[in-house]
Amino acid sequence: MRLYEYIVRRMILLIFVLAGVTLVVFYLSHVISNPLYLYLTPKTTQAGIQALIEKYGLNQPLPVQYFKYFIGLFTGDWGYSKLATQPVFTAIAQRFPNTVELAIAAVILTIAVGIPLGIVSGVMNGKWADHASRIFAIVGVSLPVFWLGLLLKILFYYDFNVWGLPNLPSSGAYDTILALSHPAGLSPTITGVPLLDTLISGNWVMFSDSFAHLILPAVTLAFISIGNITRIMRSSMLEVLRQDYITLARSKGLTERIVIYRHALRNAMVPTLTVSGLIFAGLLGGAPITEFIFQWPGIGQLSINGLLSNDLSLVLGYVFLTTIIIVVANLAVDILYAYMDPRVRI
Amino acid sequence: MRKGMDETMPAPPPKRVSPMVAEVRYALHLLTLNKLVLAGIGLAVGLTLLAIIGPFFVPANTPNAINFQLGSQSELGNPNIGWAHPLGVDTYGRDTLSLIILALGLDMGAAGLVVGIGLVVGVLLGVTAGYIGGKIGEAIMRITDIFLALPLFIWALAIAAVLTRSLNSLIIALATVSWPGYTRIIRGQVLVEKGKPYVEGLQAVGVARWRIMLRHVVPNSIFPLLVQATLDIGGVILTLAALTFLGVGLTPLVPELGQMVSNGTTYIQIDPALITIPGLFIVAISLSFNLVGDGLRDVLDPRLRR
Amino acid sequence: MGQATEEVLSKKDNQARPVLDIKGLMVDFTTYAGVVKALDGVILDVKKGEALGLVGESGCGKSVTAATIEGLLPDNAHVVGGEVLLGEDDLLKKSKSDMRKIRVNDVAIVFQDPMTFLNPVLTIGTQLTEVIDMEEGIVDKEALKVLEEEGKPKPPTTGGNASGKPWKPTRSLRKKALRRLATQALSKVGLPDPDRIFDEYPHELSGGMRQRCMIAMAIARNPVLFIADEITTALDVTMQAQILDLLRALRRDFESSILIITHDLGVVASICDKVSVMYAGSVVETADIREIFANPLHPYTQGLLKAVPKVMGEKELDSIPGSVPDLIYPPAGCRFHPRCQYAWDLCAKEKPPHIETAPRHWVECHLYKEMKTSG
């Protein structure tokens, strides 16, 4: 089946890309700096160093080291993280659901705001509604994420505090103290995603707490993605509205509403939805900066901490995961594209 | 000659100019139609001027003019500080305005360098890949695929993790990751141009391949590159600021916008201006280049013309 | 407009009111390069059941005229004069929503390139049924027929159902009814296997079949006026012939008036009753089909006819010297005068009036005089 072949081909490409990405970082990390530092403590003796070298195979030729590492990635052995005092794989796996939670929230927000804004902008081309959304969108993509996050924190956390307004929590995914004191805490962990778990088990106190914690980081992330989506939706709409078949639809006497919703949107949505898929994948990569600012316990924050403490295996593991997510997302998006546009057949 | 034709013809059409000039004129006309783009251009030019000329008005010792006394009172327009420091002082008591001017130069210079290196390398590789093709071309494109697989920041993160902490490393890291974008663009253009008849004609006459590439193919492909490069300056600034904010690559005293924001976070509750002001300048740089790049892209777009 | 033209126009009023009557239509376009005076006083009419061919080179304004009738001019176009009468109504004075209703019921247009004019992501069925569904009651009637055929009990047609509301068919019933109406329309335009085509996408059909689908979408509304804008231009000769056969058959069956826009005199000859020749924004000659081939009066028409290659004619093609004028700076007076071998000073000064120089033969040229009416 052609679809099957296509997927297999892409998977092979994925492995190739993974190899390339990890190779670059691995090579750099072993040639430019010395991975030995990972395992050194101030108390390590000369003999101890030698032992370490033996233990971690650091005296083997570089390609061999890389090869072993690469295979290890596929079998779940991503090395050990000094920072997390856990195997890298476990550390990442534990925190991944939190990132998923944030990513889903941000994507929902992005689509809910970005797509209608883009449609309005495209349909009302040239009028003030169009100009307003264009300005909004371009400012959105020009903002540094960390600055936006800090700004929102200042306003909604510190200032609200001072002004006596209920403030939105600014760190963590949930209030740990509350979790500890609440009878049910955060259990049971069904999906691992705090928001969903508390929802499923009817734990309203923790649910609303999780939700409140989600607001600021999700808005931060969404703000910038909304800018992107709006621009793509708008240009897609403009392109479609220029087409001949729209003229025909109007000449049939259809109401403008039907022309836009049935004829134009069906065509204009395609690139937008595919981009949304890519944005979601990108967000799954953890939006490291946002997680860092709001101390959101996801894989992004983990990778930044790893970066700052020179914990290379952590960073590498993170890069590996992110690459897989992004490449697979690209594949899914391409397939979705073919599904949505009957002219494209794989 | 028909009788009566001259006296009764309406005003003759304007003088014909060469098609190239007419195109450029039309492009400029389109550009001016969009007020946002004009604002962007103005902003970009203004910032660049400030970055270039400003440092002459800034006391030379600014980065080291530490005065912790002042710093602890840091608040925008704090009367104790007075108007000697219109934008206030930072956590070390240094004048914010001066720091910003210096930082502008550093950031914009770094971004320019990144994009510049990326362009040169990317174009060379892309033209090679497109024109010569074959195994080399394939290899180059595969490498490009690898780099384009991940977003800029993640790559920068990974590479910054392994390099020594310095501004140069950051620049190199970012440049390494930006060239693939240009390679892909120009390779596509080269492939299109290659197929055009005039190239075959030039080859038949005996013009050297590299000459054809440089003097004919590249100028025809330059516009999309220009658009992308402009947009990339905006993007690189954001990534650079993000990395320095995280503490990768610079020491706290270096006047750099991301670094200044990072310094300001300790005082977040007392003096938010320490964060907002440098950030605003980051936004300004990024916004202006995004606007210009956007405007250029609209001008290029064949569907929006005429 | 000159006095002579006005007299002609008022004379036309006295005869049976035509379905479409365009009087002195003038349309300008504002562009970057200047104001394009696209239509400079177009005068034409189509009577009931008549097929008018509108002929001219590319750029002479044929499509602009069609767009004006349909009310689909782009934003940078301005109507600066004239009237477009559909029956008794001046379409130029209509509001946007009125124009929309007119597009539904009265005027249908079929375009040149069915590949770009059909929506690629919607099936033929969807694009056809949306047209059918706009006619009041037609689906309900068909639904009743479906029920009857299936032997199901018919709902009360008067008095409503239990809750007192008039009966409405269920969704699936509607779908069935619409499908039947659509497939009927598709077979009317000569498409084999309409049931399969209903579910297909435009790119899965051939050019000729797509064109037939567009025609089906047009005739499904039973329009008063049917405009065909270069519908055969994108087709090869065999498909062209088939489409023309289809049009002829439809004319017989439906008695609608047709405005055929084309640059191909052969198409005109095979199907039209009357021909209007356009040049640079006005109609320079109008006559019955035989008359115009036998006795072309306007120098441009003469040139056109001479330029048609004949199988046994001379070896060289007689082309009209010069090129189409720049409509931003059009020639003064008669727009054709720079290319006309008979031109003299008057031609460069005054635009010739639209006069009837022989029975049912109108021309815009200073060479001719108004025919003498009796008395």
Side-chain angles (χ1 to χ4, degrees):
Chain A
M1 221 197 107
R2 284 166 56 202
L3 184 64
Y4 179 69
E5 275 175 29
Y6 183 70
I7 293 183
V8 168
R9 253 193 308 139
R10 293 289 288 256
M11 283 297 147
I12 296 181
L13 197 64
L14 167 62
I15 298 187
F16 178 75
V17 171
L18 281 175
V21 171
T22 47
L23 188 63
V24 170
V25 186
F26 188 88
Y27 178 78
L28 284 175
S29 71
H30 279 253
V31 169
I32 299 184
S33 71
N34 195 330
L36 194 57
Y37 290 122
L38 266 185
Y39 310 105
L40 287 181
T41 69
K43 298 209 220 120
T44 321
T45 60
Q46 275 296 90
I49 295 180
Q50 204 41 40
L52 279 174
I53 294 180
E54 291 285 341
K55 179 176 173 203
Y56 290 107
L58 293 174
N59 55 348
Q60 289 173 324
L62 211 52
V64 176
Q65 286 191 48
Y66 173 71
F67 191 67
K68 283 196 175 163
Y69 176 74
F70 194 60
I71 300 292
L73 285 175
F74 286 98
T75 56
D77 174 18
W78 293 8
Y80 186 81
S81 160
K82 192 165 170 214
L83 177 70
T85 57
Q86 284 175 319
V88 169
F89 186 80
T90 324
I92 290 186
Q94 263 181 7
R95 290 171 179 71
F96 191 60
N98 290 317
T99 299
V100 171
E101 177 181 322
L102 186 55
I104 294 181
V107 158
I108 293 179
L109 204 54
T110 307
I111 294 186
V113 175
I115 290 189
L117 210 56
I119 296 177
V120 163
S121 192
V123 169
M124 306 254 186
N125 186 24
K127 314 210 182 99
W128 73 265
D130 178 27
H131 286 132
S133 22
R134 285 185 83 184
I135 294 180
F136 176 73
I138 203 166
V139 168
V141 299
S142 309
L143 295 175
V145 182
F146 61 91
W147 189 68
L148 179 63
L150 287 174
L151 231 54
L152 288 179
K153 242 172 129 169
I154 293 177
L155 184 62
F156 289 98
Y157 183 63
Y158 296 112
D159 283 348
F160 269 34
N161 236 337
V162 169
W163 301 339
L165 289 171
N167 59 313
L168 293 174
S170 71
S171 55
Y174 48 85
D175 193 335
T176 36
I177 300 176
L178 186 60
L180 287 174
S181 57
H182 192 268
L186 267 191
S187 57
T189 36
I190 307 171
T191 56
V193 179
L195 199 68
L196 293 180
D197 283 345
T198 50
L199 182 63
I200 296 176
S201 53
N203 188 343
W204 298 119
V205 173
M206 290 309 294
F207 176 77
S208 51
D209 181 63
S210 294
F211 189 81
H213 276 90
L214 196 50
I215 297 181
L216 282 183
V219 169
T220 308
L221 277 178
F223 206 87
I224 298 175
S225 309
I226 287 178
N228 258 325
I229 286 277
T230 303
R231 296 166 94 197
I232 291 179
M233 188 74 220
R234 172 182 183 271
S235 88
S236 178
M237 268 309 260
L238 284 182
E239 165 99 22
V240 165
L241 286 175
R242 214 175 285 145
Q243 295 298 315
D244 287 333
Y245 52 83
I246 297 291
T247 309
L248 182 74
R250 290 204 175 112
S251 82
K252 287 182 189 172
L254 297 170
T255 59
E256 194 65 13
R257 233 173 139 255
I258 293 189
V259 171
I260 292 179
Y261 286 112
R262 186 188 296 159
H263 285 262
L265 266 191
R266 277 291 310 265
N267 282 280
M269 275 299 223
V270 180
T272 309
L273 281 184
T274 50
V275 168
S276 311
L278 294 176
I279 290 183
F280 182 61
L283 290 177
L284 278 183
I289 304 177
T290 311
E291 288 192 6
F292 182 73
I293 297 210
F294 291 99
Q295 279 153 285
W296 187 269
I299 59 178
Q301 189 212 32
L302 191 63
S303 71
I304 301 257
N305 290 335
L307 169 71
L308 293 175
S309 41
N310 276 317
D311 191 341
L312 280 175
S313 30
L314 203 54
V315 174
L316 260 182
Y318 170 75
V319 167
F320 184 73
L321 178 61
T322 309
T323 310
I324 295 182
I325 294 177
I326 291 184
V327 175
V328 168
N330 269 299
L331 174 62
V333 151
D334 283 345
I335 296 180
L336 183 68
Y337 199 98
Y339 177 71
M340 291 186 69
D341 186 344
R343 285 172 296 182
V344 176
R345 281 284 170 253
I346 300 174
Chain B
M1 266 294 257
R2 304 230 177 273
K3 269 174 71 170
M5 222 164 79
D6 288 329
E7 305 110 295
T8 54
M9 282 286 226
K15 247 175 59 175
R16 295 207 167 273
V17 292
S18 80
M20 173 81 144
V21 175
E23 276 301 298
V24 174
R25 242 193 242 168
Y26 183 59
L28 287 176
H29 166 82
L30 277 183
L31 215 54
T32 51
L33 281 182
N34 190 343
K35 299 192 190 61
L36 275 185
V37 174
L38 287 181
I41 296 180
L43 195 56
V45 169
L47 288 169
T48 316
L49 281 178
L50 192 57
I52 297 178
I53 301 181
F56 291 110
F57 295 90
V58 165
N61 200 27
T62 304
N64 298 319
I66 300 176
N67 183 342
F68 283 111
Q69 286 272 2
L70 268 180
S72 59
Q73 310 169 33
S74 74
E75 242 179 79
L76 190 63
N78 183 334
N80 292 341
I81 302 182
W83 286 104
H85 302 281
L87 288 181
V89 290
D90 78 337
T91 51
Y92 301 103
R94 306 173 293 174
D95 174 41
T96 307
L97 182 56
S98 314
L99 286 175
I100 297 250
I101 293 180
L102 292 175
L104 274 183
L106 196 138
D107 275 305
M108 292 177 74
L113 212 57
V114 168
V115 171
I117 299 178
L119 265 180
V120 169
V121 173
V123 166
L124 278 178
L125 286 177
V127 166
T128 315
Y131 208 72
I132 300 183
K135 287 273 166 79
I136 305 181
E138 271 301 301
I140 296 180
M141 291 323 287
R142 290 300 134 241
I143 299 181
T144 308
D145 282 339
I146 292 180
F147 278 105
L148 289 177
L150 289 178
L152 185 69
F153 181 73
I154 310 258
W155 264 120
L157 193 76
I159 297 186
V162 300
L163 297 176
T164 53
R165 303 299 162 77
S166 77
L167 185 61
N168 288 335
S169 313
L170 273 184
I171 294 181
I172 294 179
L174 287 171
T176 313
V177 187
S178 24
W179 68 257
Y182 304 125
T183 303
R184 181 169 276 189
I185 293 178
I186 199 155
R187 175 180 173 263
Q189 299 281 100
V190 168
L191 285 181
V192 165
E193 290 293 312
K194 225 169 84 158
K196 291 196 179 159
Y198 79 84
V199 170
E200 211 181 304
L202 283 173
Q203 277 181 319
V205 178
V207 182
R209 283 211 293 191
W210 65 269
R211 216 202 173 94
I212 300 181
M213 272 201 272
L214 251 96
R215 289 205 60 215
H216 298 276
V217 174
V218 170
N220 283 337
S221 331
I222 222 167
F223 224 174
L225 272 185
L226 210 61
V227 171
Q228 191 59 45
T230 315
L231 292 172
D232 279 348
I233 295 187
V236 167
I237 287 271
L238 289 181
T239 312
L240 185 65
L243 286 173
T244 50
F245 170 78
L246 291 175
V248 177
L250 295 177
T251 54
L253 284 186
V254 174
E256 196 274 333
L257 294 171
Q259 186 63 52
M260 289 168 75
V261 175
S262 171
N263 293 344
T265 50
T266 38
Y267 279 63
I268 188 168
Q269 294 189 61
I270 308 170
D271 189 5
L274 287 173
I275 295 178
T276 49
I277 295 185
L280 273 175
F281 276 89
I282 302 178
V283 175
I285 302 177
S286 167
L287 184 61
S288 63
F289 281 96
N290 278 342
L291 281 174
V292 175
D294 234 27
L296 282 178
R297 186 169 42 196
D298 281 349
V299 162
L300 241 205
D301 189 0
R303 299 172 297 235
L304 290 180
R305 307 180 128 219
R306 231 133 251 168
Chain C
M1 281 191 292
Q3 202 197 11
T5 313
E6 285 193 28
E7 286 179 11
V8 168
L9 291 178
S10 59
K11 248 189 262 175
K12 277 197 192 169
D13 277 350
N14 295 336
Q15 299 156 5
R17 215 171 238 295
V19 166
L20 174 70
D21 197 356
I22 302 185
K23 303 187 183 190
L25 181 63
M26 311 211 307
V27 175
D28 285 351
F29 285 82
T30 1
T31 69
Y32 164 71
V35 177
V36 178
K37 300 157 193 71
L39 296 186
D40 189 33
V42 171
I43 299 174
L44 62 85
D45 67 278
V46 183
K47 304 216 181 24
K48 184 157 172 52
E50 186 176 52
L52 172 69
L54 189 55
V55 190
E57 300 167 82
S58 319
C60 70
K62 321 189 287 285
S63 292
V64 176
T65 313
T68 316
I69 302 173
E70 276 272 322
L72 288 179
L73 285 172
D75 289 331
N76 63 335
H78 313 278
V79 176
V80 290
E83 296 178 319
V84 176
L85 298 178
L86 189 69
E88 302 224 334
D89 303 316
D90 185 356
L91 296 181
L92 298 174
K93 295 203 175 60
K94 293 263 174 203
S95 68
K96 278 206 157 151
S97 54
D98 285 340
M99 272 314 290
R100 193 184 64 74
K101 292 203 194 78
I102 290 180
R103 285 200 285 270
V104 173
N105 297 314
D106 302 319
V107 186
I109 182 166
V110 179
F111 292 97
Q112 171 175 335
D113 184 358
M115 191 60 242
T116 56
F117 278 95
L118 287 174
N119 195 328
V121 301
L122 298 176
T123 59
I124 300 286
T126 316
Q127 301 188 52
L128 189 48
T129 52
E130 66 184 352
V131 176
I132 298 176
D133 207 358
M134 287 197 286
E135 194 176 325
E136 287 279 324
I138 190 173
V139 181
D140 295 344
K141 263 197 284 186
E142 186 72 15
L144 287 173
K145 270 196 240 163
V146 171
L147 282 179
E148 208 177 296
E149 284 167 25
E150 292 183 350
K152 301 227 179 77
K154 281 175 66 164
T157 44
T158 49
N161 55 16
S163 52
K165 292 208 203 104
W167 170 78
K168 283 260 162 263
T170 61
R171 279 193 90 175
S172 56
L173 189 53
R174 283 195 110 241
K175 276 182 78 168
K176 246 193 241 181
L178 275 173
R179 198 189 174 95
R180 272 171 45 139
L181 288 169
T183 44
Q184 281 167 22
L186 288 173
S187 40
K188 245 186 265 179
V189 290
L191 283 169
D193 202 356
D195 213 41
R196 184 182 58 101
I197 293 188
F198 185 91
D199 293 316
E200 293 200 330
Y201 290 96
H203 66 276
E204 295 173 316
L205 304 175
S206 76
M209 293 164 83
R210 286 197 287 262
Q211 195 58 285
R212 287 175 195 267
C213 290
M214 285 234 285
I215 296 178
M217 293 179 205
I219 62 171
R221 282 119 86 187
N222 281 324
V224 157
L225 175 66
F226 183 104
I227 306 181
D229 191 349
E230 306 262 18
I231 61 179
T232 54
T233 312
L235 304 173
D236 67 48
V237 190
T238 34
M239 289 197 235
Q240 236 182 57
Q242 291 172 356
I243 296 291
L244 287 176
D245 283 338
L246 174 59
L247 278 184
R248 267 193 289 267
L250 291 177
R251 268 195 72 195
R252 273 196 324 260
D253 299 336
F254 290 109
E255 268 220 348
S256 28
S257 321
I258 310 185
L259 176 62
I260 299 197
I261 300 178
T262 177
H263 60 264
D264 185 343
L265 289 169
V267 168
V268 164
S270 63
I271 191 169
C272 297
D273 304 319
K274 205 166 79 177
V275 178
S276 283
V277 179
M278 262 188 91
Y279 180 79
S282 22
V283 173
V284 296
E285 186 166 359
T286 302
D288 292 340
I289 180 101
R290 285 185 200 282
E291 172 79 3
I292 204 147
F293 279 104
N295 190 16
L297 296 179
H298 195 284
Y300 177 64
T301 320
Q302 293 169 353
L304 270 187
L305 290 172
K306 265 196 267 175
V308 176
K310 298 185 212 17
V311 177
M312 311 231 253
E314 290 155 18
K315 295 175 201 94
E316 269 187 52
L317 269 185
D318 254 330
S319 61
I320 307 174
S323 51
V324 180
D326 177 358
L327 291 179
I328 300 179
Y329 302 99
C334 169
R335 285 185 175 184
F336 183 66
H337 85 255
R339 302 167 79 180
C340 183
Q341 47 175 291
Y342 305 111
W344 76 95
D345 340 15
L346 184 59
C347 299
K349 289 214 193 80
E350 245 180 62
K351 182 170 189 260
H354 193 88
I355 52 179
E356 190 173 3
T357 189
R360 295 215 312 276
H361 194 148
W362 291 266
V363 103
E364 264 182 28
C365 183
H366 287 301
L367 284 173
Y368 302 97
K369 282 206 188 39
E370 177 92 42
M371 99 181 149
K372 298 261 190 295
T373 48
S374 53

